[in-house]
Amino acid sequence: MRGSSRGAARASQEAFDVALAGSVSGTTLAEELFAVTGVVESSASLRRALADPSREPEAKAALARSLFGGKVSDAAADLVATVVGQRWSAERDLADTLESLAVQALLANAEGTGRIDRVEDELFRFERIVAGDPGLRDTLSSRNTDAAGKAALVDALLKDKAAPETIRLAEQAVRVPRGRRLDRVMEAYLELAARRRDELSALVTVATPLTEPQQARLRAALEAHYGKSVTLQVVQDHAVMGGIRVQVGDEVVDGTVLRRLDEARRHVTGG
């Protein structure tokens, strides 16, 4: 996010933390915020009206209350009014923030029940399963596939195998991708889960599995570098041939054989 949206997102986060500390349940708040996000996304004119930086904050908040008051809990209505009343520099930033808060509400519920580690791991494994199955990936990513049908497929794949928060988030990712690729949606959810745990998530790509001591050394090195706990998400990919690729947020350290070969090819060909 850029410009005024950064401050708006911070204010929205603070309001969310207050709402979550109240009597409303995480799952209830999540469902209400997902519903609001869906309404906002479904209407370009409404999205413009709610995110218009030239409109008075009070007018935008009043519009939000008139639309959602009585349809969601008072806590959710107050939160949405506060979010809408911020100054957003881009329409998408408003919808992104509403969705992010909904995801966080579910993750907070998982945290409260001691399942957040499990949810983060299951979301990662689900994303890797989908990425490794072209047919499944195409079905869940296709805009021509009925959203309810995709959600039902996710439920069939994960039912009795994953935490309820995992299933709900996976269903949301395929049902309402909001123009994004499924892997990008899942990455965003995983980043929120890591943030909720006050940890960084490192995507580690290797040709052969890392031993426990190797993982421990890598984790220790990353934690020393970043100054906070790091969770390793290890992916085995024979295409990299050897070496290791580590991605933490936007930072990438690529020491794979494949990359070195590619660099050598470019040096020789000048391409």
Side-chain angles (χ1 to χ4, degrees):
M1 293 185 185
R2 298 180 179 180
S4 60
S5 284
R6 290 187 176 181
R10 285 194 296 270
S12 298
Q13 184 69 50
E14 292 171 1
F16 168 79
D17 293 339
V18 171
L20 199 61
S23 58
V24 65
S25 75
T27 52
T28 298
L29 185 59
E31 292 302 334
E32 292 175 330
L33 291 175
F34 277 138
V36 170
T37 303
V39 172
V40 172
E41 277 290 292
S42 67
S43 172
S45 59
L46 174 60
R47 194 164 57 249
R48 283 194 297 270
L50 293 175
D52 186 352
S54 67
R55 296 188 68 183
E56 290 296 325
E58 295 79 6
K60 293 192 294 180
L63 174 58
R65 291 185 186 281
S66 68
L67 288 170
F68 303 113
K71 299 180 178 65
V72 298
S73 66
D74 290 343
D78 289 342
L79 175 58
V80 172
T82 299
V83 174
V84 168
Q86 304 304 313
R87 183 179 176 83
W88 301 96
S89 53
E91 293 174 14
R92 185 173 184 85
D93 294 343
L94 169 61
D96 284 348
T97 298
L98 286 169
E99 181 189 49
S100 170
L101 298 180
V103 173
Q104 289 183 63
L106 270 183
L107 293 172
N109 189 75
E111 183 179 41
T113 55
R115 291 195 293 258
I116 193 165
D117 289 1
R118 176 186 174 187
V119 169
E120 185 176 6
D121 183 64
E122 289 171 347
L123 286 174
F124 175 70
R125 293 184 184 281
F126 173 73
E127 190 277 327
R128 300 315 306 171
I129 289 171
V130 174
D133 187 327
L136 179 60
R137 183 181 65 241
D138 291 345
T139 298
L140 293 179
S141 301
S142 174
R143 295 184 179 182
N144 298 322
T145 305
D146 175 66
K150 290 190 287 187
L153 176 57
V154 167
D155 185 68
L157 290 170
L158 298 179
K159 188 177 182 180
D160 299 326
K161 300 175 184 176
E165 295 87 0
T166 304
I167 297 174
R168 181 64 186 90
L169 288 172
E171 289 177 347
Q172 182 70 20
V174 301
R175 185 188 289 271
V176 192
R178 299 180 48 240
R180 300 163 297 177
R181 285 175 15 202
L182 178 58
D183 61 334
R184 297 299 187 194
V185 179
M186 299 304 293
E187 285 175 10
Y189 290 1
L190 285 166
E191 183 178 341
L192 288 170
R195 190 187 307 168
R196 186 80 201 172
R197 299 172 61 201
D198 194 27
E199 291 186 342
L200 292 175
S201 179
L203 179 60
V204 181
T205 306
V206 292
T208 57
L210 295 177
T211 64
E212 286 296 328
Q214 287 174 327
Q215 290 193 40
R217 288 196 295 272
L218 176 59
R219 185 183 298 107
L222 291 172
E223 290 178 343
H225 177 73
Y226 289 104
K228 64 191 314 181
S229 297
V230 175
T231 296
L232 302 183
Q233 297 171 338
V234 182
V235 176
Q236 188 174 349
D237 184 354
H238 296 296
V240 303
M241 300 181 187
I244 185 170
R245 180 183 189 274
V246 180
Q247 179 173 352
V248 180
D250 294 331
E251 295 186 29
V252 178
V253 177
D254 194 338
T256 61
V257 172
L258 179 63
R259 180 172 183 264
R260 292 197 292 270
L261 289 174
D262 187 53
E263 288 177 342
R265 177 191 61 78
R266 290 199 303 271
H267 178 72
V268 171
T269 62

PDB file of all heavy atoms in Angstrom, residues 148-180:
ATOM      1  N   ALA A 148     -19.368 -22.055  -5.840  1.00  0.00           N
ATOM      2  CA  ALA A 148     -19.872 -23.002  -4.844  1.00  0.00           C
ATOM      3  C   ALA A 148     -19.312 -24.389  -5.099  1.00  0.00           C
ATOM      4  O   ALA A 148     -19.008 -25.141  -4.159  1.00  0.00           O
ATOM      5  CB  ALA A 148     -21.395 -23.028  -4.880  1.00  0.00           C
ATOM      6  N   GLY A 149     -19.175 -24.749  -6.376  1.00  0.00           N
ATOM      7  CA  GLY A 149     -18.612 -26.052  -6.722  1.00  0.00           C
ATOM      8  C   GLY A 149     -17.163 -26.164  -6.295  1.00  0.00           C
ATOM      9  O   GLY A 149     -16.724 -27.222  -5.812  1.00  0.00           O
ATOM     10  N   LYS A 150     -16.398 -25.088  -6.470  1.00  0.00           N
ATOM     11  CA  LYS A 150     -14.998 -25.106  -6.049  1.00  0.00           C
ATOM     12  C   LYS A 150     -14.895 -25.227  -4.534  1.00  0.00           C
ATOM     13  O   LYS A 150     -14.044 -25.960  -4.009  1.00  0.00           O
ATOM     14  CB  LYS A 150     -14.295 -23.833  -6.540  1.00  0.00           C
ATOM     15  CG  LYS A 150     -14.094 -23.799  -8.048  1.00  0.00           C
ATOM     16  CD  LYS A 150     -13.181 -22.662  -8.488  1.00  0.00           C
ATOM     17  CE  LYS A 150     -13.844 -21.316  -8.386  1.00  0.00           C
ATOM     18  NZ  LYS A 150     -12.992 -20.242  -8.968  1.00  0.00           N
ATOM     19  N   ALA A 151     -15.753 -24.505  -3.829  1.00  0.00           N
ATOM     20  CA  ALA A 151     -15.741 -24.586  -2.365  1.00  0.00           C
ATOM     21  C   ALA A 151     -16.112 -25.995  -1.899  1.00  0.00           C
ATOM     22  O   ALA A 151     -15.534 -26.514  -0.930  1.00  0.00           O
ATOM     23  CB  ALA A 151     -16.708 -23.565  -1.779  1.00  0.00           C
ATOM     24  N   ALA A 152     -17.063 -26.616  -2.594  1.00  0.00           N
ATOM     25  CA  ALA A 152     -17.472 -27.979  -2.242  1.00  0.00           C
ATOM     26  C   ALA A 152     -16.322 -28.961  -2.474  1.00  0.00           C
ATOM     27  O   ALA A 152     -16.132 -29.908  -1.704  1.00  0.00           O
ATOM     28  CB  ALA A 152     -18.694 -28.388  -3.058  1.00  0.00           C
ATOM     29  N   LEU A 153     -15.558 -28.735  -3.539  1.00  0.00           N
ATOM     30  CA  LEU A 153     -14.408 -29.598  -3.822  1.00  0.00           C
ATOM     31  C   LEU A 153     -13.362 -29.464  -2.731  1.00  0.00           C
ATOM     32  O   LEU A 153     -12.788 -30.466  -2.272  1.00  0.00           O
ATOM     33  CB  LEU A 153     -13.817 -29.236  -5.187  1.00  0.00           C
ATOM     34  CG  LEU A 153     -12.535 -29.982  -5.594  1.00  0.00           C
ATOM     35  CD1 LEU A 153     -12.753 -31.490  -5.573  1.00  0.00           C
ATOM     36  CD2 LEU A 153     -12.078 -29.508  -6.977  1.00  0.00           C
ATOM     37  N   VAL A 154     -13.107 -28.235  -2.295  1.00  0.00           N
ATOM     38  CA  VAL A 154     -12.162 -28.008  -1.196  1.00  0.00           C
ATOM     39  C   VAL A 154     -12.633 -28.711   0.067  1.00  0.00           C
ATOM     40  O   VAL A 154     -11.844 -29.362   0.762  1.00  0.00           O
ATOM     41  CB  VAL A 154     -11.992 -26.497  -0.936  1.00  0.00           C
ATOM     42  CG1 VAL A 154     -11.267 -26.257   0.390  1.00  0.00           C
ATOM     43  CG2 VAL A 154     -11.235 -25.850  -2.075  1.00  0.00           C
ATOM     44  N   ASP A 155     -13.909 -28.593   0.360  1.00  0.00           N
ATOM     45  CA  ASP A 155     -14.468 -29.235   1.548  1.00  0.00           C
ATOM     46  C   ASP A 155     -14.294 -30.747   1.471  1.00  0.00           C
ATOM     47  O   ASP A 155     -13.947 -31.394   2.469  1.00  0.00           O
ATOM     48  CB  ASP A 155     -15.949 -28.881   1.693  1.00  0.00           C
ATOM     49  CG  ASP A 155     -16.539 -29.417   2.986  1.00  0.00           C
ATOM     50  OD1 ASP A 155     -16.150 -28.929   4.059  1.00  0.00           O
ATOM     51  OD2 ASP A 155     -17.383 -30.338   2.920  1.00  0.00           O
ATOM     52  N   ALA A 156     -14.510 -31.312   0.282  1.00  0.00           N
ATOM     53  CA  ALA A 156     -14.354 -32.766   0.112  1.00  0.00           C
ATOM     54  C   ALA A 156     -12.902 -33.192   0.303  1.00  0.00           C
ATOM     55  O   ALA A 156     -12.621 -34.271   0.850  1.00  0.00           O
ATOM     56  CB  ALA A 156     -14.849 -33.174  -1.272  1.00  0.00           C
ATOM     57  N   LEU A 157     -11.975 -32.343  -0.119  1.00  0.00           N
ATOM     58  CA  LEU A 157     -10.558 -32.665   0.000  1.00  0.00           C
ATOM     59  C   LEU A 157     -10.062 -32.568   1.437  1.00  0.00           C
ATOM     60  O   LEU A 157      -9.202 -33.347   1.863  1.00  0.00           O
ATOM     61  CB  LEU A 157      -9.736 -31.723  -0.883  1.00  0.00           C
ATOM     62  CG  LEU A 157      -9.851 -31.899  -2.397  1.00  0.00           C
ATOM     63  CD1 LEU A 157      -9.166 -30.732  -3.114  1.00  0.00           C
ATOM     64  CD2 LEU A 157      -9.222 -33.221  -2.825  1.00  0.00           C
ATOM     65  N   LEU A 158     -10.606 -31.619   2.190  1.00  0.00           N
ATOM     66  CA  LEU A 158     -10.052 -31.321   3.515  1.00  0.00           C
ATOM     67  C   LEU A 158     -10.911 -31.787   4.686  1.00  0.00           C
ATOM     68  O   LEU A 158     -10.433 -31.799   5.822  1.00  0.00           O
ATOM     69  CB  LEU A 158      -9.816 -29.814   3.651  1.00  0.00           C
ATOM     70  CG  LEU A 158      -8.806 -29.192   2.671  1.00  0.00           C
ATOM     71  CD1 LEU A 158      -8.694 -27.688   2.923  1.00  0.00           C
ATOM     72  CD2 LEU A 158      -7.448 -29.857   2.803  1.00  0.00           C
ATOM     73  N   LYS A 159     -12.163 -32.147   4.427  1.00  0.00           N
ATOM     74  CA  LYS A 159     -13.062 -32.538   5.515  1.00  0.00           C
ATOM     75  C   LYS A 159     -12.467 -33.673   6.344  1.00  0.00           C
ATOM     76  O   LYS A 159     -11.972 -34.661   5.806  1.00  0.00           O
ATOM     77  CB  LYS A 159     -14.417 -32.954   4.949  1.00  0.00           C
ATOM     78  CG  LYS A 159     -15.469 -33.201   6.020  1.00  0.00           C
ATOM     79  CD  LYS A 159     -16.812 -33.529   5.398  1.00  0.00           C
ATOM     80  CE  LYS A 159     -17.884 -33.739   6.456  1.00  0.00           C
ATOM     81  NZ  LYS A 159     -19.206 -34.067   5.844  1.00  0.00           N
ATOM     82  N   ASP A 160     -12.516 -33.511   7.657  1.00  0.00           N
ATOM     83  CA  ASP A 160     -12.001 -34.485   8.627  1.00  0.00           C
ATOM     84  C   ASP A 160     -10.480 -34.637   8.558  1.00  0.00           C
ATOM     85  O   ASP A 160      -9.912 -35.517   9.210  1.00  0.00           O
ATOM     86  CB  ASP A 160     -12.649 -35.867   8.440  1.00  0.00           C
ATOM     87  CG  ASP A 160     -14.152 -35.841   8.634  1.00  0.00           C
ATOM     88  OD1 ASP A 160     -14.616 -35.059   9.482  1.00  0.00           O
ATOM     89  OD2 ASP A 160     -14.862 -36.585   7.927  1.00  0.00           O
ATOM     90  N   LYS A 161      -9.809 -33.787   7.758  1.00  0.00           N
ATOM     91  CA  LYS A 161      -8.353 -33.860   7.652  1.00  0.00           C
ATOM     92  C   LYS A 161      -7.676 -32.559   8.078  1.00  0.00           C
ATOM     93  O   LYS A 161      -6.458 -32.528   8.219  1.00  0.00           O
ATOM     94  CB  LYS A 161      -7.943 -34.177   6.207  1.00  0.00           C
ATOM     95  CG  LYS A 161      -8.486 -35.496   5.672  1.00  0.00           C
ATOM     96  CD  LYS A 161      -8.130 -35.653   4.207  1.00  0.00           C
ATOM     97  CE  LYS A 161      -8.748 -36.923   3.633  1.00  0.00           C
ATOM     98  NZ  LYS A 161      -8.487 -37.055   2.173  1.00  0.00           N
ATOM     99  N   ALA A 162      -8.460 -31.512   8.240  1.00  0.00           N
ATOM    100  CA  ALA A 162      -7.886 -30.203   8.545  1.00  0.00           C
ATOM    101  C   ALA A 162      -8.742 -29.479   9.571  1.00  0.00           C
ATOM    102  O   ALA A 162      -9.917 -29.818   9.780  1.00  0.00           O
ATOM    103  CB  ALA A 162      -7.765 -29.361   7.275  1.00  0.00           C
ATOM    104  N   ALA A 163      -8.160 -28.469  10.201  1.00  0.00           N
ATOM    105  CA  ALA A 163      -8.875 -27.656  11.173  1.00  0.00           C
ATOM    106  C   ALA A 163      -9.980 -26.867  10.478  1.00  0.00           C
ATOM    107  O   ALA A 163      -9.870 -26.558   9.293  1.00  0.00           O
ATOM    108  CB  ALA A 163      -7.904 -26.696  11.866  1.00  0.00           C
ATOM    109  N   PRO A 164     -11.047 -26.526  11.195  1.00  0.00           N
ATOM    110  CA  PRO A 164     -12.143 -25.779  10.563  1.00  0.00           C
ATOM    111  C   PRO A 164     -11.694 -24.442   9.981  1.00  0.00           C
ATOM    112  O   PRO A 164     -12.199 -24.021   8.941  1.00  0.00           O
ATOM    113  CB  PRO A 164     -13.158 -25.587  11.706  1.00  0.00           C
ATOM    114  CG  PRO A 164     -12.406 -25.872  12.966  1.00  0.00           C
ATOM    115  CD  PRO A 164     -11.359 -26.868  12.598  1.00  0.00           C
ATOM    116  N   GLU A 165     -10.742 -23.775  10.624  1.00  0.00           N
ATOM    117  CA  GLU A 165     -10.248 -22.500  10.092  1.00  0.00           C
ATOM    118  C   GLU A 165      -9.510 -22.701   8.772  1.00  0.00           C
ATOM    119  O   GLU A 165      -9.615 -21.874   7.857  1.00  0.00           O
ATOM    120  CB  GLU A 165      -9.324 -21.816  11.105  1.00  0.00           C
ATOM    121  CG  GLU A 165     -10.002 -21.389  12.387  1.00  0.00           C
ATOM    122  CD  GLU A 165     -10.043 -22.486  13.437  1.00  0.00           C
ATOM    123  OE1 GLU A 165      -9.535 -23.602  13.157  1.00  0.00           O
ATOM    124  OE2 GLU A 165     -10.556 -22.240  14.541  1.00  0.00           O
ATOM    125  N   THR A 166      -8.779 -23.801   8.665  1.00  0.00           N
ATOM    126  CA  THR A 166      -8.077 -24.113   7.417  1.00  0.00           C
ATOM    127  C   THR A 166      -9.070 -24.301   6.284  1.00  0.00           C
ATOM    128  O   THR A 166      -8.901 -23.740   5.186  1.00  0.00           O
ATOM    129  CB  THR A 166      -7.240 -25.389   7.570  1.00  0.00           C
ATOM    130  OG1 THR A 166      -6.341 -25.261   8.669  1.00  0.00           O
ATOM    131  CG2 THR A 166      -6.454 -25.679   6.295  1.00  0.00           C
ATOM    132  N   ILE A 167     -10.098 -25.083   6.538  1.00  0.00           N
ATOM    133  CA  ILE A 167     -11.104 -25.366   5.513  1.00  0.00           C
ATOM    134  C   ILE A 167     -11.803 -24.085   5.089  1.00  0.00           C
ATOM    135  O   ILE A 167     -11.998 -23.831   3.895  1.00  0.00           O
ATOM    136  CB  ILE A 167     -12.123 -26.397   6.035  1.00  0.00           C
ATOM    137  CG1 ILE A 167     -11.415 -27.731   6.322  1.00  0.00           C
ATOM    138  CG2 ILE A 167     -13.245 -26.603   5.015  1.00  0.00           C
ATOM    139  CD1 ILE A 167     -12.299 -28.766   6.983  1.00  0.00           C
ATOM    140  N   ARG A 168     -12.176 -23.266   6.056  1.00  0.00           N
ATOM    141  CA  ARG A 168     -12.891 -22.023   5.721  1.00  0.00           C
ATOM    142  C   ARG A 168     -12.013 -21.082   4.907  1.00  0.00           C
ATOM    143  O   ARG A 168     -12.491 -20.451   3.947  1.00  0.00           O
ATOM    144  CB  ARG A 168     -13.345 -21.334   7.015  1.00  0.00           C
ATOM    145  CG  ARG A 168     -14.130 -20.041   6.758  1.00  0.00           C
ATOM    146  CD  ARG A 168     -15.441 -20.329   6.034  1.00  0.00           C
ATOM    147  NE  ARG A 168     -16.134 -19.101   5.663  1.00  0.00           N
ATOM    148  CZ  ARG A 168     -15.961 -18.458   4.518  1.00  0.00           C
ATOM    149  NH1 ARG A 168     -15.079 -18.920   3.620  1.00  0.00           N
ATOM    150  NH2 ARG A 168     -16.645 -17.367   4.252  1.00  0.00           N
ATOM    151  N   LEU A 169     -10.755 -20.969   5.266  1.00  0.00           N
ATOM    152  CA  LEU A 169      -9.861 -20.081   4.530  1.00  0.00           C
ATOM    153  C   LEU A 169      -9.580 -20.608   3.125  1.00  0.00           C
ATOM    154  O   LEU A 169      -9.519 -19.831   2.164  1.00  0.00           O
ATOM    155  CB  LEU A 169      -8.549 -19.896   5.296  1.00  0.00           C
ATOM    156  CG  LEU A 169      -8.643 -19.037   6.558  1.00  0.00           C
ATOM    157  CD1 LEU A 169      -7.344 -19.083   7.344  1.00  0.00           C
ATOM    158  CD2 LEU A 169      -8.999 -17.599   6.215  1.00  0.00           C
ATOM    159  N   ALA A 170      -9.422 -21.911   3.001  1.00  0.00           N
ATOM    160  CA  ALA A 170      -9.205 -22.497   1.671  1.00  0.00           C
ATOM    161  C   ALA A 170     -10.438 -22.302   0.796  1.00  0.00           C
ATOM    162  O   ALA A 170     -10.327 -21.993  -0.400  1.00  0.00           O
ATOM    163  CB  ALA A 170      -8.869 -23.976   1.805  1.00  0.00           C
ATOM    164  N   GLU A 171     -11.622 -22.456   1.386  1.00  0.00           N
ATOM    165  CA  GLU A 171     -12.856 -22.221   0.636  1.00  0.00           C
ATOM    166  C   GLU A 171     -12.946 -20.761   0.194  1.00  0.00           C
ATOM    167  O   GLU A 171     -13.325 -20.480  -0.949  1.00  0.00           O
ATOM    168  CB  GLU A 171     -14.068 -22.576   1.499  1.00  0.00           C
ATOM    169  CG  GLU A 171     -14.263 -24.066   1.738  1.00  0.00           C
ATOM    170  CD  GLU A 171     -15.435 -24.352   2.663  1.00  0.00           C
ATOM    171  OE1 GLU A 171     -15.926 -23.398   3.310  1.00  0.00           O
ATOM    172  OE2 GLU A 171     -15.848 -25.515   2.756  1.00  0.00           O
ATOM    173  N   GLN A 172     -12.604 -19.852   1.080  1.00  0.00           N
ATOM    174  CA  GLN A 172     -12.650 -18.436   0.738  1.00  0.00           C
ATOM    175  C   GLN A 172     -11.682 -18.117  -0.392  1.00  0.00           C
ATOM    176  O   GLN A 172     -11.996 -17.328  -1.299  1.00  0.00           O
ATOM    177  CB  GLN A 172     -12.310 -17.598   1.974  1.00  0.00           C
ATOM    178  CG  GLN A 172     -12.365 -16.087   1.749  1.00  0.00           C
ATOM    179  CD  GLN A 172     -13.784 -15.570   1.539  1.00  0.00           C
ATOM    180  OE1 GLN A 172     -14.751 -16.232   1.918  1.00  0.00           O
ATOM    181  NE2 GLN A 172     -13.909 -14.391   0.959  1.00  0.00           N
ATOM    182  N   ALA A 173     -10.528 -18.720  -0.349  1.00  0.00           N
ATOM    183  CA  ALA A 173      -9.500 -18.458  -1.366  1.00  0.00           C
ATOM    184  C   ALA A 173      -9.961 -18.856  -2.762  1.00  0.00           C
ATOM    185  O   ALA A 173      -9.659 -18.158  -3.742  1.00  0.00           O
ATOM    186  CB  ALA A 173      -8.214 -19.200  -1.004  1.00  0.00           C
ATOM    187  N   VAL A 174     -10.693 -19.966  -2.868  1.00  0.00           N
ATOM    188  CA  VAL A 174     -11.141 -20.405  -4.194  1.00  0.00           C
ATOM    189  C   VAL A 174     -12.474 -19.772  -4.585  1.00  0.00           C
ATOM    190  O   VAL A 174     -12.761 -19.591  -5.771  1.00  0.00           O
ATOM    191  CB  VAL A 174     -11.252 -21.943  -4.268  1.00  0.00           C
ATOM    192  CG1 VAL A 174      -9.911 -22.593  -3.978  1.00  0.00           C
ATOM    193  CG2 VAL A 174     -12.329 -22.488  -3.329  1.00  0.00           C
ATOM    194  N   ARG A 175     -13.264 -19.427  -3.589  1.00  0.00           N
ATOM    195  CA  ARG A 175     -14.583 -18.863  -3.879  1.00  0.00           C
ATOM    196  C   ARG A 175     -14.490 -17.390  -4.285  1.00  0.00           C
ATOM    197  O   ARG A 175     -15.178 -16.941  -5.205  1.00  0.00           O
ATOM    198  CB  ARG A 175     -15.481 -19.000  -2.648  1.00  0.00           C
ATOM    199  CG  ARG A 175     -16.915 -18.547  -2.886  1.00  0.00           C
ATOM    200  CD  ARG A 175     -17.682 -18.520  -1.565  1.00  0.00           C
ATOM    201  NE  ARG A 175     -17.957 -19.858  -1.066  1.00  0.00           N
ATOM    202  CZ  ARG A 175     -19.035 -20.556  -1.378  1.00  0.00           C
ATOM    203  NH1 ARG A 175     -19.940 -20.055  -2.208  1.00  0.00           N
ATOM    204  NH2 ARG A 175     -19.222 -21.757  -0.857  1.00  0.00           N
ATOM    205  N   VAL A 176     -13.652 -16.634  -3.589  1.00  0.00           N
ATOM    206  CA  VAL A 176     -13.540 -15.188  -3.847  1.00  0.00           C
ATOM    207  C   VAL A 176     -12.063 -14.810  -3.991  1.00  0.00           C
ATOM    208  O   VAL A 176     -11.472 -14.193  -3.090  1.00  0.00           O
ATOM    209  CB  VAL A 176     -14.190 -14.365  -2.719  1.00  0.00           C
ATOM    210  CG1 VAL A 176     -14.316 -12.900  -3.137  1.00  0.00           C
ATOM    211  CG2 VAL A 176     -15.552 -14.917  -2.332  1.00  0.00           C
ATOM    212  N   PRO A 177     -11.423 -15.182  -5.104  1.00  0.00           N
ATOM    213  CA  PRO A 177     -10.001 -14.855  -5.280  1.00  0.00           C
ATOM    214  C   PRO A 177      -9.750 -13.378  -5.547  1.00  0.00           C
ATOM    215  O   PRO A 177      -8.634 -12.904  -5.447  1.00  0.00           O
ATOM    216  CB  PRO A 177      -9.593 -15.708  -6.480  1.00  0.00           C
ATOM    217  CG  PRO A 177     -10.857 -15.864  -7.262  1.00  0.00           C
ATOM    218  CD  PRO A 177     -11.950 -15.955  -6.233  1.00  0.00           C
ATOM    219  N   ARG A 178     -10.794 -12.641  -5.931  1.00  0.00           N
ATOM    220  CA  ARG A 178     -10.702 -11.205  -6.192  1.00  0.00           C
ATOM    221  C   ARG A 178      -9.633 -10.884  -7.234  1.00  0.00           C
ATOM    222  O   ARG A 178      -8.828  -9.971  -7.079  1.00  0.00           O
ATOM    223  CB  ARG A 178     -10.440 -10.440  -4.893  1.00  0.00           C
ATOM    224  CG  ARG A 178     -11.557 -10.620  -3.854  1.00  0.00           C
ATOM    225  CD  ARG A 178     -11.322  -9.886  -2.562  1.00  0.00           C
ATOM    226  NE  ARG A 178     -10.925  -8.523  -2.781  1.00  0.00           N
ATOM    227  CZ  ARG A 178      -9.771  -7.999  -2.364  1.00  0.00           C
ATOM    228  NH1 ARG A 178      -8.913  -8.734  -1.688  1.00  0.00           N
ATOM    229  NH2 ARG A 178      -9.488  -6.744  -2.601  1.00  0.00           N
ATOM    230  N   GLY A 179      -9.650 -11.667  -8.315  1.00  0.00           N
ATOM    231  CA  GLY A 179      -8.770 -11.401  -9.438  1.00  0.00           C
ATOM    232  C   GLY A 179      -7.341 -11.865  -9.266  1.00  0.00           C
ATOM    233  O   GLY A 179      -6.495 -11.623 -10.123  1.00  0.00           O
ATOM    234  N   ARG A 180      -7.046 -12.549  -8.168  1.00  0.00           N
ATOM    235  CA  ARG A 180      -5.680 -13.000  -7.904  1.00  0.00           C
ATOM    236  C   ARG A 180      -5.531 -14.482  -8.170  1.00  0.00           C
ATOM    237  O   ARG A 180      -6.485 -15.238  -8.118  1.00  0.00           O
ATOM    238  CB  ARG A 180      -5.298 -12.722  -6.450  1.00  0.00           C
ATOM    239  CG  ARG A 180      -5.336 -11.267  -6.045  1.00  0.00           C
ATOM    240  CD  ARG A 180      -5.353 -11.112  -4.532  1.00  0.00           C
ATOM    241  NE  ARG A 180      -6.544 -11.691  -3.938  1.00  0.00           N
ATOM    242  CZ  ARG A 180      -6.787 -11.745  -2.635  1.00  0.00           C
ATOM    243  NH1 ARG A 180      -5.914 -11.258  -1.783  1.00  0.00           N
ATOM    244  NH2 ARG A 180      -7.908 -12.279  -2.181  1.00  0.00           N
TER     245      ARG A 180
END
